[in-house]
Amino acid sequence: MELNNIKSNFYDYLFCLLIIILPYSIKFPNILIVILSLFLIFDFKEYSKIDFKILKKTTLITLYILILYWLSKGFLSNTISENKYSLYVIILIVPILFLKIRNSDRILFAIIISVFILSLRSIYGLIIHYSANNELLPFEGDIVNAILGMERPYLGFFSVIAIIISIELSLKHAKYKYILLAYSVYIGLFISVISARISGLTILFLIILYLVFYIKMSFKKKTLLFLVLGLSIFIVILSNKNLRERLFITNNYEESFAKVKLHEPRVIIWGCANEIMNSPNFNHILGLKSEKELDNLYAFCYDEKLENKHRANFFITSKLNSHNQFIGTYLTSGMIGLFLMLTFFISQIIICRANYIKTFMVIALFFFFMVEVVLLRQLGAYFFIIVICIINICPLNCSQKHLQS
């Protein structure tokens, strides 16, 4: 009996290790997935304890149908090798492995620990850069990722998820309540320091959503909280030069717009995406044949639209993708793929609407999809499916009823 307990706990800790090392390695997480899969396959006695019916949830089935559509489309168009279909294996396997986890709180704490370690590494990079250059963080460029030790949008998203989880755990574990709440404030400030725009906007949106729909409070108190929130945002923006620059805030509207066009690559990328969609050869039902075809069309558009050839060459050699999962899905999968993806999110929101923790995670994921093609990156695929597993499999208790009782 004791040996079985050790074995079950060991599986949990292996999964926690997977989460902690995700941002640092490409190969090791995949090795751990294989090890976890072997544990699941050969641990016959545990099969009866695993509730495989959870995988029949509407949201997960919709996700499986979307992946099946992608695979079928690639097979029928003979473009399997031109797409990153290997990443879908992660999305298919992780939910099955997640079912065997004995104590899901360990996974939640692993995310908190992982983000805390990432924040310390980023702060160390910021201190080193500041001591050498007398600036906190450059406006843009690959140097930002080098300083932070990770791409800023992914670091910001993972940090938002950690904040949401810390709130959940603070209500479940009273003895850690103030530590976890202090942690959430610390990570919120960290997001501000690294100027992760979409993450900051996500937190702001979630606070507003919480105040309007979930918290039971008088109108006067809510109004006061909104005023405090507005003042806090004003102070944060005023005191953070890098954040002001990242938000393109200046005293002149035309100057701000000019900065957006010059420094925000999504202006060019989404403009090119619009041209591809409106081209006469684009199939609106099925989309393009493959991701490789989309990369070639983007490269042609960058070369044509950008007068600065040095910048155009950077866009082309970097193979800048759609920077929006929904746009990317529409371009490569057409209306069928986009419909399935939106159905997945809408059904997830409907199912989770009474549980604000789960709702917040879905919204954070939606916002992340708005600025990154998440499912074309291994780290993105892992982040996505782990969050989806937490939403659909973990017993999160922060419902609206729980809040108001």
PDB file of all heavy atoms in Angstrom, residues 92-115:
ATOM      1  N   LEU A  92      -3.133  16.096 -27.516  1.00  0.00           N
ATOM      2  CA  LEU A  92      -3.932  14.882 -27.391  1.00  0.00           C
ATOM      3  C   LEU A  92      -3.541  14.045 -26.175  1.00  0.00           C
ATOM      4  O   LEU A  92      -4.403  13.453 -25.513  1.00  0.00           O
ATOM      5  CB  LEU A  92      -3.789  14.033 -28.664  1.00  0.00           C
ATOM      6  CG  LEU A  92      -4.407  14.605 -29.946  1.00  0.00           C
ATOM      7  CD1 LEU A  92      -4.003  13.763 -31.144  1.00  0.00           C
ATOM      8  CD2 LEU A  92      -5.916  14.700 -29.830  1.00  0.00           C
ATOM      9  N   ILE A  93      -2.241  14.011 -25.857  1.00  0.00           N
ATOM     10  CA  ILE A  93      -1.751  13.130 -24.801  1.00  0.00           C
ATOM     11  C   ILE A  93      -1.893  13.722 -23.403  1.00  0.00           C
ATOM     12  O   ILE A  93      -2.292  13.026 -22.458  1.00  0.00           O
ATOM     13  CB  ILE A  93      -0.275  12.742 -25.064  1.00  0.00           C
ATOM     14  CG1 ILE A  93      -0.178  11.807 -26.264  1.00  0.00           C
ATOM     15  CG2 ILE A  93       0.344  12.075 -23.834  1.00  0.00           C
ATOM     16  CD1 ILE A  93       1.230  11.414 -26.621  1.00  0.00           C
ATOM     17  N   VAL A  94      -1.588  15.004 -23.235  1.00  0.00           N
ATOM     18  CA  VAL A  94      -1.541  15.612 -21.900  1.00  0.00           C
ATOM     19  C   VAL A  94      -2.854  15.456 -21.127  1.00  0.00           C
ATOM     20  O   VAL A  94      -2.826  15.128 -19.929  1.00  0.00           O
ATOM     21  CB  VAL A  94      -1.110  17.090 -21.977  1.00  0.00           C
ATOM     22  CG1 VAL A  94      -1.301  17.793 -20.627  1.00  0.00           C
ATOM     23  CG2 VAL A  94       0.360  17.193 -22.401  1.00  0.00           C
ATOM     24  N   PRO A  95      -4.042  15.655 -21.735  1.00  0.00           N
ATOM     25  CA  PRO A  95      -5.280  15.452 -20.949  1.00  0.00           C
ATOM     26  C   PRO A  95      -5.425  14.033 -20.399  1.00  0.00           C
ATOM     27  O   PRO A  95      -5.912  13.848 -19.276  1.00  0.00           O
ATOM     28  CB  PRO A  95      -6.388  15.755 -21.966  1.00  0.00           C
ATOM     29  CG  PRO A  95      -5.753  16.658 -22.956  1.00  0.00           C
ATOM     30  CD  PRO A  95      -4.338  16.182 -23.073  1.00  0.00           C
ATOM     31  N   ILE A  96      -4.994  13.052 -21.167  1.00  0.00           N
ATOM     32  CA  ILE A  96      -5.056  11.661 -20.692  1.00  0.00           C
ATOM     33  C   ILE A  96      -4.122  11.473 -19.509  1.00  0.00           C
ATOM     34  O   ILE A  96      -4.484  10.866 -18.493  1.00  0.00           O
ATOM     35  CB  ILE A  96      -4.681  10.690 -21.832  1.00  0.00           C
ATOM     36  CG1 ILE A  96      -5.648  10.865 -23.007  1.00  0.00           C
ATOM     37  CG2 ILE A  96      -4.713   9.246 -21.328  1.00  0.00           C
ATOM     38  CD1 ILE A  96      -5.256  10.094 -24.252  1.00  0.00           C
ATOM     39  N   LEU A  97      -2.908  12.021 -19.610  1.00  0.00           N
ATOM     40  CA  LEU A  97      -1.935  11.916 -18.524  1.00  0.00           C
ATOM     41  C   LEU A  97      -2.410  12.678 -17.285  1.00  0.00           C
ATOM     42  O   LEU A  97      -2.157  12.271 -16.154  1.00  0.00           O
ATOM     43  CB  LEU A  97      -0.574  12.458 -18.976  1.00  0.00           C
ATOM     44  CG  LEU A  97       0.096  11.740 -20.151  1.00  0.00           C
ATOM     45  CD1 LEU A  97       1.409  12.435 -20.520  1.00  0.00           C
ATOM     46  CD2 LEU A  97       0.335  10.272 -19.835  1.00  0.00           C
ATOM     47  N   PHE A  98      -3.110  13.775 -17.523  1.00  0.00           N
ATOM     48  CA  PHE A  98      -3.593  14.623 -16.425  1.00  0.00           C
ATOM     49  C   PHE A  98      -4.591  13.888 -15.538  1.00  0.00           C
ATOM     50  O   PHE A  98      -4.695  14.154 -14.339  1.00  0.00           O
ATOM     51  CB  PHE A  98      -4.227  15.888 -17.000  1.00  0.00           C
ATOM     52  CG  PHE A  98      -4.093  17.091 -16.111  1.00  0.00           C
ATOM     53  CD1 PHE A  98      -3.031  17.969 -16.253  1.00  0.00           C
ATOM     54  CD2 PHE A  98      -5.037  17.351 -15.126  1.00  0.00           C
ATOM     55  CE1 PHE A  98      -2.912  19.083 -15.434  1.00  0.00           C
ATOM     56  CE2 PHE A  98      -4.921  18.455 -14.310  1.00  0.00           C
ATOM     57  CZ  PHE A  98      -3.849  19.323 -14.455  1.00  0.00           C
ATOM     58  N   LEU A  99      -5.330  12.950 -16.137  1.00  0.00           N
ATOM     59  CA  LEU A  99      -6.362  12.214 -15.396  1.00  0.00           C
ATOM     60  C   LEU A  99      -5.773  11.372 -14.263  1.00  0.00           C
ATOM     61  O   LEU A  99      -6.452  11.076 -13.288  1.00  0.00           O
ATOM     62  CB  LEU A  99      -7.141  11.307 -16.350  1.00  0.00           C
ATOM     63  CG  LEU A  99      -8.020  11.998 -17.407  1.00  0.00           C
ATOM     64  CD1 LEU A  99      -8.604  10.968 -18.349  1.00  0.00           C
ATOM     65  CD2 LEU A  99      -9.117  12.820 -16.761  1.00  0.00           C
ATOM     66  N   LYS A 100      -4.527  10.984 -14.398  1.00  0.00           N
ATOM     67  CA  LYS A 100      -3.897  10.117 -13.412  1.00  0.00           C
ATOM     68  C   LYS A 100      -3.340  10.891 -12.208  1.00  0.00           C
ATOM     69  O   LYS A 100      -2.961  10.295 -11.200  1.00  0.00           O
ATOM     70  CB  LYS A 100      -2.771   9.314 -14.083  1.00  0.00           C
ATOM     71  CG  LYS A 100      -2.117   8.269 -13.189  1.00  0.00           C
ATOM     72  CD  LYS A 100      -1.094   7.443 -13.951  1.00  0.00           C
ATOM     73  CE  LYS A 100      -0.210   6.639 -13.020  1.00  0.00           C
ATOM     74  NZ  LYS A 100      -0.964   5.728 -12.140  1.00  0.00           N
ATOM     75  N   ILE A 101      -3.315  12.219 -12.307  1.00  0.00           N
ATOM     76  CA  ILE A 101      -2.778  13.030 -11.215  1.00  0.00           C
ATOM     77  C   ILE A 101      -3.618  12.829  -9.954  1.00  0.00           C
ATOM     78  O   ILE A 101      -4.845  12.915  -9.992  1.00  0.00           O
ATOM     79  CB  ILE A 101      -2.742  14.516 -11.611  1.00  0.00           C
ATOM     80  CG1 ILE A 101      -1.692  14.731 -12.701  1.00  0.00           C
ATOM     81  CG2 ILE A 101      -2.430  15.413 -10.411  1.00  0.00           C
ATOM     82  CD1 ILE A 101      -1.731  16.087 -13.340  1.00  0.00           C
ATOM     83  N   ARG A 102      -2.947  12.578  -8.882  1.00  0.00           N
ATOM     84  CA  ARG A 102      -3.629  12.243  -7.634  1.00  0.00           C
ATOM     85  C   ARG A 102      -4.076  13.497  -6.876  1.00  0.00           C
ATOM     86  O   ARG A 102      -5.154  13.525  -6.282  1.00  0.00           O
ATOM     87  CB  ARG A 102      -2.687  11.410  -6.760  1.00  0.00           C
ATOM     88  CG  ARG A 102      -3.352  10.782  -5.555  1.00  0.00           C
ATOM     89  CD  ARG A 102      -2.388   9.875  -4.835  1.00  0.00           C
ATOM     90  NE  ARG A 102      -3.039   9.148  -3.752  1.00  0.00           N
ATOM     91  CZ  ARG A 102      -2.410   8.360  -2.905  1.00  0.00           C
ATOM     92  NH1 ARG A 102      -1.110   8.194  -3.012  1.00  0.00           N
ATOM     93  NH2 ARG A 102      -3.074   7.734  -1.955  1.00  0.00           N
ATOM     94  N   ASN A 103      -3.243  14.511  -6.840  1.00  0.00           N
ATOM     95  CA  ASN A 103      -3.550  15.746  -6.120  1.00  0.00           C
ATOM     96  C   ASN A 103      -3.282  16.927  -7.055  1.00  0.00           C
ATOM     97  O   ASN A 103      -2.128  17.318  -7.260  1.00  0.00           O
ATOM     98  CB  ASN A 103      -2.694  15.850  -4.856  1.00  0.00           C
ATOM     99  CG  ASN A 103      -3.056  17.047  -3.989  1.00  0.00           C
ATOM    100  OD1 ASN A 103      -3.698  17.984  -4.461  1.00  0.00           O
ATOM    101  ND2 ASN A 103      -2.644  17.022  -2.741  1.00  0.00           N
ATOM    102  N   SER A 104      -4.341  17.478  -7.610  1.00  0.00           N
ATOM    103  CA  SER A 104      -4.185  18.541  -8.619  1.00  0.00           C
ATOM    104  C   SER A 104      -3.597  19.821  -8.034  1.00  0.00           C
ATOM    105  O   SER A 104      -3.030  20.636  -8.769  1.00  0.00           O
ATOM    106  CB  SER A 104      -5.537  18.840  -9.273  1.00  0.00           C
ATOM    107  OG  SER A 104      -6.493  19.249  -8.311  1.00  0.00           O
ATOM    108  N   ASP A 105      -3.725  20.008  -6.703  1.00  0.00           N
ATOM    109  CA  ASP A 105      -3.146  21.204  -6.089  1.00  0.00           C
ATOM    110  C   ASP A 105      -1.632  21.240  -6.254  1.00  0.00           C
ATOM    111  O   ASP A 105      -1.026  22.310  -6.303  1.00  0.00           O
ATOM    112  CB  ASP A 105      -3.506  21.266  -4.603  1.00  0.00           C
ATOM    113  CG  ASP A 105      -4.901  21.830  -4.371  1.00  0.00           C
ATOM    114  OD1 ASP A 105      -5.598  22.091  -5.366  1.00  0.00           O
ATOM    115  OD2 ASP A 105      -5.289  22.007  -3.206  1.00  0.00           O
ATOM    116  N   ARG A 106      -1.023  20.078  -6.330  1.00  0.00           N
ATOM    117  CA  ARG A 106       0.427  20.035  -6.562  1.00  0.00           C
ATOM    118  C   ARG A 106       0.780  20.675  -7.900  1.00  0.00           C
ATOM    119  O   ARG A 106       1.788  21.379  -8.016  1.00  0.00           O
ATOM    120  CB  ARG A 106       0.914  18.580  -6.542  1.00  0.00           C
ATOM    121  CG  ARG A 106       0.874  17.934  -5.163  1.00  0.00           C
ATOM    122  CD  ARG A 106       1.373  16.508  -5.229  1.00  0.00           C
ATOM    123  NE  ARG A 106       1.260  15.869  -3.925  1.00  0.00           N
ATOM    124  CZ  ARG A 106       0.808  14.644  -3.721  1.00  0.00           C
ATOM    125  NH1 ARG A 106       0.425  13.908  -4.754  1.00  0.00           N
ATOM    126  NH2 ARG A 106       0.755  14.134  -2.506  1.00  0.00           N
ATOM    127  N   ILE A 107      -0.052  20.444  -8.899  1.00  0.00           N
ATOM    128  CA  ILE A 107       0.171  21.027 -10.221  1.00  0.00           C
ATOM    129  C   ILE A 107       0.021  22.542 -10.163  1.00  0.00           C
ATOM    130  O   ILE A 107       0.802  23.291 -10.761  1.00  0.00           O
ATOM    131  CB  ILE A 107      -0.820  20.428 -11.248  1.00  0.00           C
ATOM    132  CG1 ILE A 107      -0.757  18.904 -11.239  1.00  0.00           C
ATOM    133  CG2 ILE A 107      -0.571  20.990 -12.629  1.00  0.00           C
ATOM    134  CD1 ILE A 107       0.617  18.332 -11.493  1.00  0.00           C
ATOM    135  N   LEU A 108      -0.977  23.006  -9.421  1.00  0.00           N
ATOM    136  CA  LEU A 108      -1.213  24.440  -9.284  1.00  0.00           C
ATOM    137  C   LEU A 108      -0.045  25.119  -8.562  1.00  0.00           C
ATOM    138  O   LEU A 108       0.425  26.191  -8.977  1.00  0.00           O
ATOM    139  CB  LEU A 108      -2.516  24.695  -8.526  1.00  0.00           C
ATOM    140  CG  LEU A 108      -3.790  24.075  -9.128  1.00  0.00           C
ATOM    141  CD1 LEU A 108      -5.010  24.485  -8.324  1.00  0.00           C
ATOM    142  CD2 LEU A 108      -3.955  24.464 -10.583  1.00  0.00           C
ATOM    143  N   PHE A 109       0.445  24.490  -7.513  1.00  0.00           N
ATOM    144  CA  PHE A 109       1.599  25.039  -6.795  1.00  0.00           C
ATOM    145  C   PHE A 109       2.850  25.001  -7.675  1.00  0.00           C
ATOM    146  O   PHE A 109       3.709  25.895  -7.580  1.00  0.00           O
ATOM    147  CB  PHE A 109       1.841  24.273  -5.487  1.00  0.00           C
ATOM    148  CG  PHE A 109       1.015  24.759  -4.335  1.00  0.00           C
ATOM    149  CD1 PHE A 109      -0.012  23.987  -3.815  1.00  0.00           C
ATOM    150  CD2 PHE A 109       1.268  26.003  -3.762  1.00  0.00           C
ATOM    151  CE1 PHE A 109      -0.780  24.446  -2.750  1.00  0.00           C
ATOM    152  CE2 PHE A 109       0.501  26.467  -2.694  1.00  0.00           C
ATOM    153  CZ  PHE A 109      -0.523  25.687  -2.189  1.00  0.00           C
ATOM    154  N   ALA A 110       2.959  23.994  -8.531  1.00  0.00           N
ATOM    155  CA  ALA A 110       4.111  23.906  -9.432  1.00  0.00           C
ATOM    156  C   ALA A 110       4.139  25.089 -10.395  1.00  0.00           C
ATOM    157  O   ALA A 110       5.209  25.636 -10.697  1.00  0.00           O
ATOM    158  CB  ALA A 110       4.066  22.590 -10.212  1.00  0.00           C
ATOM    159  N   ILE A 111       2.963  25.510 -10.866  1.00  0.00           N
ATOM    160  CA  ILE A 111       2.877  26.673 -11.759  1.00  0.00           C
ATOM    161  C   ILE A 111       3.312  27.936 -11.020  1.00  0.00           C
ATOM    162  O   ILE A 111       4.060  28.760 -11.552  1.00  0.00           O
ATOM    163  CB  ILE A 111       1.452  26.821 -12.317  1.00  0.00           C
ATOM    164  CG1 ILE A 111       1.152  25.667 -13.279  1.00  0.00           C
ATOM    165  CG2 ILE A 111       1.264  28.166 -13.019  1.00  0.00           C
ATOM    166  CD1 ILE A 111      -0.262  25.620 -13.792  1.00  0.00           C
ATOM    167  N   ILE A 112       2.854  28.081  -9.786  1.00  0.00           N
ATOM    168  CA  ILE A 112       3.232  29.241  -8.973  1.00  0.00           C
ATOM    169  C   ILE A 112       4.745  29.271  -8.752  1.00  0.00           C
ATOM    170  O   ILE A 112       5.382  30.327  -8.891  1.00  0.00           O
ATOM    171  CB  ILE A 112       2.479  29.201  -7.627  1.00  0.00           C
ATOM    172  CG1 ILE A 112       1.022  29.589  -7.830  1.00  0.00           C
ATOM    173  CG2 ILE A 112       3.127  30.135  -6.609  1.00  0.00           C
ATOM    174  CD1 ILE A 112       0.191  29.525  -6.585  1.00  0.00           C
ATOM    175  N   ILE A 113       5.313  28.143  -8.413  1.00  0.00           N
ATOM    176  CA  ILE A 113       6.767  28.058  -8.190  1.00  0.00           C
ATOM    177  C   ILE A 113       7.522  28.356  -9.480  1.00  0.00           C
ATOM    178  O   ILE A 113       8.520  29.094  -9.475  1.00  0.00           O
ATOM    179  CB  ILE A 113       7.142  26.654  -7.652  1.00  0.00           C
ATOM    180  CG1 ILE A 113       6.575  26.470  -6.245  1.00  0.00           C
ATOM    181  CG2 ILE A 113       8.657  26.458  -7.645  1.00  0.00           C
ATOM    182  CD1 ILE A 113       6.645  25.040  -5.737  1.00  0.00           C
ATOM    183  N   SER A 114       7.048  27.793 -10.586  1.00  0.00           N
ATOM    184  CA  SER A 114       7.697  28.003 -11.879  1.00  0.00           C
ATOM    185  C   SER A 114       7.731  29.482 -12.245  1.00  0.00           C
ATOM    186  O   SER A 114       8.779  30.008 -12.654  1.00  0.00           O
ATOM    187  CB  SER A 114       6.963  27.213 -12.967  1.00  0.00           C
ATOM    188  OG  SER A 114       7.555  27.418 -14.222  1.00  0.00           O
ATOM    189  N   VAL A 115       6.608  30.166 -12.093  1.00  0.00           N
ATOM    190  CA  VAL A 115       6.542  31.596 -12.438  1.00  0.00           C
ATOM    191  C   VAL A 115       7.399  32.419 -11.486  1.00  0.00           C
ATOM    192  O   VAL A 115       8.046  33.395 -11.895  1.00  0.00           O
ATOM    193  CB  VAL A 115       5.080  32.091 -12.430  1.00  0.00           C
ATOM    194  CG1 VAL A 115       5.014  33.612 -12.562  1.00  0.00           C
ATOM    195  CG2 VAL A 115       4.304  31.434 -13.563  1.00  0.00           C
TER     196      VAL A 115
END
